[in-house]
Amino acid sequence: MIDVLNSPFGLLVAGSILGGLGYVARHGWKEFMDRRGQRQARDVTEAQSAIYTTLARLQGATSADRVLILNTQNGGGIPRADGPTFSSVLYEETAPNVPPVQGDWQKEQLDSQYAHLINEVVQNGAWEGPPERLTPEAGKLFDAYKAMNVVYSYVVLVKLTSGKVYYLSVTWRQEHAPTKTTPTIRNAVRAAVTEIREQL
């Protein structure tokens, strides 16, 4: 048997077998990666669809003018106090005739006012009130709320990860604004946050 493998014919056969196994392995690996990529793409589109469905249901249940999912991050890596932090809108659902802001609010650097709000959301799980309740009163978020005619906002923590804070923002303009969140609003938001957390 060893004589056959040491012969030129044996080496040719062994080389052919190893070459064939290599081809099968490469083709199998490529097929595995293609299917894995397709599965991941399908999972992502299903998750995005589920998030938008949840936001639409929440917007209707609360009569909010705008519902957003945002995140803050420092650009990657472990969060540090000595670097800038940025906020971006990831998902948005609005009432009819309410203009979207998602395209305008991408990688907005947090100022003192916004940092205080995010800290309160992380520490307490939520922040709510009219724009005048923001501290300090002057800042980007106050200006944005005024430009969007927001008179009441409810911001809730969705998820904390390494370097990112995900949060839900529900805002109302004058026509539908509560003076404080009701049990119905809080329950609808709680249910939505639970669903969203599973998708992010």
Side-chain angles (χ1 to χ4, degrees), residues 73-176:
Q73 59 182 321
N74 67 344
I78 297 170
R80 297 170 34 157
D82 64 346
T85 302
F86 302 93
S87 170
S88 296
V89 175
L90 303 176
Y91 297 92
E92 176 178 33
E93 186 67 37
T94 63
N97 302 319
V98 174
V101 296
Q102 184 172 1
D104 298 328
W105 197 268
Q106 295 297 316
K107 295 187 179 177
E108 286 291 323
Q109 188 170 345
L110 269 63
D111 58 7
S112 171
Q113 181 185 71
Y114 209 140
H116 279 89
L117 176 124
I118 296 302
N119 182 57
E120 188 167 336
V121 169
V122 169
Q123 297 300 318
N124 302 321
W127 178 93
E128 68 174 285
E132 292 75 23
R133 188 170 167 263
L134 292 166
T135 56
E137 195 169 309
K140 279 184 184 178
L141 191 55
F142 183 84
D143 294 343
Y145 278 169
K146 286 300 179 188
M148 295 183 292
N149 298 314
V150 170
V151 296
Y152 203 83
S153 177
Y154 186 37
V155 183
V156 179
L157 179 65
V158 173
K159 184 176 181 179
L160 285 172
T161 65
S162 176
K164 292 185 181 180
V165 178
Y166 293 89
Y167 50 102
L168 177 75
S169 171
V170 184
T171 57
W172 293 266
R173 298 188 302 182
Q174 190 63 46
E175 305 90 63
H176 307 108

Side-chain angles (χ1 to χ4, degrees), residues 11-24:
L11 291 174
L12 180 63
V13 169
S16 296
I17 290 171
L18 289 175
L21 288 174
Y23 173 79
V24 169

